[in-house]
Amino acid sequence: MSRRPWSEDEDELITHCYKTPEYPVGVLANVMQRSRSSVYQRAKTLGLTDAQVYVPDDVVRQAIEDKHPLGWSDAEIARHVAEQHGCGVDRHRLGKMRRTMGLSSNNHSEHQRKRIAAKTTEQLKAAGLPSIGHLRKSAFDKWKRELGWPESLTLRAVQALELLWERGPMTRLGLCEAMGIDREHAIANRTEPKSNAKGGTALAELQRAGLVMRLPKQVKSGTDRRGGVRRVDLYLLSPGVEPNGQRIKASGCRVDGRSRDRDCELAVGSQDGDL
């Protein structure tokens, strides 16, 4: 960018807008067609920046020696130095000095655990919830509502519904793999994908709720070790089920203009060797 002289209008703009949330330095630089560094330098010339005070190493080292045994983190010690001397100290500089002193991080100290617990309690109180478990349940229920499925379903069941809605009919192993469940583990455990609801599996939970159905007849899917035809169960959304979590009237066997028979053919063809 050009080294043109600063105008009175530019100085006035910097004076009124520097350090305001609406006009960060990047925005001011773009408006005036100047570099960010030149805006910083001009603000310093106009007396808009704080004088830089360098905190000596011995001061930082003393603060570490005083506060580290109490379980304080690097960030807390840095804030303490800033309050005491009117100027902050870079957290990374402080951390490097701590390591040269042979001191470990206090990220998991008792002091940090108590501080986090107090902050969590404050957040729960503000949210009107008694525990972390209720907070987690509240977040999951909100997620289910946003997706449009019943809040009574377990997390695994909602994941299965989403996959069946997005991808169409799937085998049990296909669902497990899409959920990130190890294939060998899923083969060895017929209860995968697991569910905390009655029945022990997400598919059983969804079938009991009438949201998912299993084709009454197994479909072909590759060959077994002996060379014979391998047959697997195929699961799909029940006719008329949509993400609003309610059954609607469906005409025939078509949902969203697609034939479920065609869906089955595509699913089996794409999942050969699932079992």
Side-chain angles (χ1 to χ4, degrees):
M1 296 184 180
S2 62
R3 293 177 176 270
R4 68 181 187 274
W6 289 88
S7 67
E8 293 183 3
D9 290 339
E10 288 177 320
D11 285 348
E12 186 177 355
L13 179 62
I14 294 178
T15 301
H16 286 88
C17 299
Y18 188 72
K19 283 192 174 181
T20 61
E22 296 84 2
Y23 294 95
V25 173
V27 173
L28 288 175
N30 289 334
V31 169
M32 295 183 287
Q33 291 297 296
R34 294 182 181 273
S35 66
R36 294 168 62 96
S37 60
S38 66
V39 174
Y40 280 122
Q41 186 60 41
R42 189 59 179 173
K44 182 177 181 180
T45 301
L46 295 173
L48 302 175
T49 59
D50 298 328
Q52 295 297 312
V53 178
Y54 182 79
V55 181
D57 286 351
D58 59 339
V59 174
V60 179
R61 189 176 293 107
Q62 185 61 51
I64 295 174
E65 291 176 353
D66 292 342
K67 302 302 180 183
H68 185 273
L70 302 178
W72 285 32
S73 66
D74 293 346
E76 287 179 299
I77 298 175
R79 287 195 295 269
H80 170 73
V81 173
E83 292 172 359
Q84 294 293 314
H85 301 276
C87 178
V89 57
D90 183 67
R91 179 171 57 85
H92 300 289
R93 173 192 168 202
L94 191 147
K96 183 178 180 180
M97 188 176 297
R98 170 183 53 77
R99 289 190 293 272
T100 60
M101 296 169 64
L103 300 175
S104 61
S105 168
N106 276 330
N107 291 338
H108 303 289
S109 67
E110 183 65 23
H111 168 76
Q112 292 302 314
R113 286 196 290 269
K114 289 181 178 179
R115 188 175 66 85
I116 294 172
K119 186 175 181 180
T120 300
T121 301
E122 182 181 343
Q123 292 174 334
L124 289 173
K125 184 178 180 180
L129 297 172
S131 69
I132 287 290
H134 288 81
L135 181 63
R136 186 180 298 111
K137 182 179 183 303
S138 176
F140 284 154
D141 288 346
K142 179 181 178 182
W143 177 66
K144 295 171 190 177
R145 286 195 301 271
E146 290 175 350
L147 293 177
W149 301 114
E151 294 180 28
S152 58
L153 296 175
T154 62
L155 183 60
R156 281 295 194 193
V158 174
Q159 288 178 306
L161 273 177
E162 279 293 290
L163 288 168
L164 291 171
W165 173 257
E166 293 174 359
R167 306 187 185 186
M170 301 179 72
T171 64
R172 183 185 71 86
L173 277 187
L175 274 173
C176 288
E177 291 182 346
M179 290 179 179
I181 301 172
D182 179 72
R183 180 182 176 82
E184 296 302 322
H185 177 74
I187 292 175
N189 295 271
R190 301 291 297 180
T191 55
E192 292 289 357
K194 287 185 173 67
S195 167
N196 293 329
K198 183 178 179 181
T201 71
L203 289 171
E205 177 186 355
L206 292 171
Q207 289 181 86
R208 191 166 53 251
L211 298 172
V212 166
M213 60 178 287
R214 181 181 64 182
L215 289 184
K217 185 176 181 180
Q218 291 185 320
V219 295
K220 298 178 182 179
S221 180
T223 57
D224 57 24
R225 296 178 180 178
R226 299 180 181 180
V229 176
R230 186 181 297 277
R231 297 180 180 277
V232 298
D233 289 320
L234 203 60
Y235 298 87
L236 66 161
L237 295 181
S238 298
V241 171
E242 287 190 337
N244 58 9
Q246 300 175 352
R247 284 182 173 276
I248 61 174
K249 293 182 179 180
S251 57
C253 295
R254 300 179 69 84
V255 175
D256 292 341
R258 296 189 305 171
S259 167
R260 287 192 174 274
D261 292 339
R262 178 56 179 165
D263 282 346
C264 297
E265 294 174 8
L266 292 174
V268 174
S270 64
Q271 299 184 60
D272 278 351
D274 268 351
L275 295 178

